[in-house]
Amino acid sequence: MAYSRRSFLRAGALGLAGAATARLPALPQTAPASGQSQSWIIPELLPAARAEGALTIYSSMNEQEGLPLWKLFEDATGIKTTYVRSSDTALMGRIAIERRAQQHSWDLVQTTAVGKLPQDFLQAFDAPEAKNVIPEARAANRRWYGVYANYNSPAYNTNFVKEAELPKSYEEFAERKQWAGKVAIDGTDTEWLAAMFAHFGEERARKILKDIVAALKPVVVEGHLALARSVAAGEYWVALNNYVPLTYNQKLAGGPTDVWILDPVALFFGQVGINSNAPHPKAALLGANFMMSREGQQQMTKAGRIPVRADVTPNPPDIVTRLQKHKVVAYSFAADQEKRLERSFQEIFKPR
């Protein structure tokens, strides 16, 4: 399952400068009580992982979430982590360039696009905590596992749009002409487009979306977190679609933003994978196990990530129940399908 060549090249041009090793202010963490053992630590693996001494993580999770998460890992294991954060697209491009240069730079990758990497970039692995995540979040080839559920829905700024104004279906969007120029969408939302095609049928979905484009002239942006922040800041009033966890990330931080749920709800996963050329493979396996653990999942919910374990309560607690009342379409598709969807997205959302 290969990531599209266009995305790799675009990321290579834009992403290397954007990725950075982060040391920024972060969310509070929940430290274990003194002497408390961690369920995710694999006793027979820990000495070898400590002997490797380090772990490099490439992740699209923002620093305010990622740094406290991996601080828990450091405190429990004594293994120093290096956290490199950038967008999914930029990280995929960076990984491709480093692979061609035969650089062994990273151990663990965590983005929504791990499954789109060439399969020989990733090693198959078994982690004890994987048995506790929902079946849909386990790749059949064992090269990635889901660490949070990435549901999709529209989002809005509550200062500029009132709840009573919200469309009750995607067909109604085109009627909100007062939003023209204040609506945005991420240009990589192929999973959402696939869900729209599956739910409405491709012909009808295209008409609905073209009507929206004609009436509202949505701005196509790059970066789901940047989009969530822009809606919370009021730069855009509405996201035609975005990742639910990122909207809640901004809401939990005090931003005037919220989701409203329409059919269909696209679902895929934030995934973790291990480099087949990892310089620290034992530490990488321990790190992947940590991300799937109850402790790791609980930490991620602090910023609105939706867990993939039944024994971890989401934040807010009712969000999965609300989402599951709608038509949820889970997606994972091959490169040739994605290329077709990329072309369709560009055709529908191209400026007019």
Side-chain angles (χ1 to χ4, degrees):
M1 191 183 298
Y3 201 72
S4 74
R5 178 176 176 81
R6 181 185 68 82
S7 295
F8 264 134
L9 293 176
R10 179 160 59 95
L14 300 177
L16 286 174
T21 302
R23 293 293 175 197
L24 299 177
L27 289 170
Q29 60 185 2
T30 305
S34 178
Q36 178 181 338
S37 63
Q38 301 297 293
S39 66
W40 51 269
I41 290 180
I42 306 168
E44 61 273 22
L45 182 65
L46 183 59
R50 280 179 172 160
E52 291 175 345
L55 174 65
T56 298
I57 306 108
Y58 283 8
S59 178
S60 59
M61 186 181 294
N62 69 75
E63 296 91 342
Q64 287 79 8
E65 297 176 71
L67 294 182
L69 178 69
W70 289 103
K71 182 66 162 55
L72 289 176
F73 177 87
E74 284 189 346
D75 289 347
T77 64
I79 297 169
K80 177 177 173 55
T81 63
T82 299
Y83 191 76
V84 179
R85 191 270 162 188
S86 195
S87 68
D88 286 357
T89 306
L91 287 174
M92 296 301 100
R94 178 170 179 154
I95 287 169
I97 291 168
E98 290 176 349
R99 185 78 173 200
R100 287 198 295 270
Q102 298 184 338
Q103 295 177 1
H104 297 186
S105 308
W106 59 279
D107 299 297
L108 207 63
V109 59
Q110 188 280 298
T111 80
T112 60
V114 176
K116 298 172 186 175
L117 282 167
Q119 293 302 279
D120 62 338
F121 284 28
L122 302 166
Q123 65 172 269
F125 69 97
D126 295 301
E129 292 293 339
K131 67 181 182 298
N132 296 315
V133 306
I134 60 176
E136 296 87 346
R138 303 175 211 153
N141 63 10
R142 301 168 22 253
R143 282 179 163 81
W144 64 261
Y145 297 88
V147 294
Y148 60 84
N150 222 20
Y151 291 90
N152 289 230
S153 88
Y156 68 107
N157 183 295
T158 57
N159 286 341
F160 292 99
V161 177
K162 303 308 176 189
E163 188 175 358
E165 297 178 69
L166 299 175
K168 294 180 173 56
S169 68
Y170 278 104
E171 292 96 326
E172 290 185 19
F173 258 95
E175 300 171 11
R176 304 301 191 268
K177 292 183 171 54
Q178 69 272 26
W179 295 350
K182 292 295 185 179
V183 176
I185 187 167
D186 187 276
T188 63
D189 274 343
T190 50
E191 288 89 352
W192 170 77
L193 183 61
M196 293 287 285
F197 285 176
H199 181 68
F200 291 109
E202 184 167 343
E203 183 178 354
R204 186 178 172 206
R206 282 178 176 273
K207 182 180 186 311
I208 291 168
L209 294 174
K210 286 182 177 181
D211 287 347
I212 292 172
V213 170
L216 301 184
K217 300 176 176 54
V219 179
V220 178
V221 302
E222 184 170 345
H224 289 91
L225 178 59
L227 176 56
R229 287 172 171 167
S230 294
V231 172
E235 179 182 357
Y236 304 112
W237 296 356
V238 172
L240 184 58
N241 179 67
N242 205 357
Y243 300 164
V244 170
L246 295 182
T247 300
Y248 274 109
N249 173 277
Q250 294 301 295
K251 183 177 180 179
L252 291 167
T257 188
D258 207 345
V259 303
W260 85 98
I261 305 167
L262 300 177
D263 291 336
V265 176
L267 169 63
F268 52 104
F269 297 95
Q271 306 152 7
V272 65
I274 297 175
N275 188 353
S276 56
N277 293 327
H280 310 105
K282 306 297 186 185
L285 178 56
L286 198 58
N289 200 52
F290 164 64
M291 292 201 83
M292 289 182 274
S293 72
R294 193 164 186 268
E295 295 91 336
Q297 296 272 294
Q298 286 174 327
Q299 179 66 29
M300 283 187 267
T301 65
K302 294 179 185 296
R305 301 282 172 179
I306 299 175
V308 292
R309 294 175 61 114
D311 59 353
V312 176
T313 302
N315 181 20
D318 66 339
I319 185 58
V320 173
T321 302
R322 288 169 53 205
L323 288 161
Q324 291 289 342
K325 289 179 179 177
H326 292 261
K327 177 65 175 178
V328 177
V329 182
Y331 263 96
S332 176
F333 39 73
D336 58 342
Q337 294 173 288
E338 181 171 34
K339 288 176 184 176
R340 187 181 77 82
L341 287 162
E342 285 177 348
R343 289 193 296 269
S344 295
F345 190 99
Q346 292 165 15
E347 176 188 321
I348 292 167
F349 287 94
K350 65 184 177 184
R352 284 169 170 76

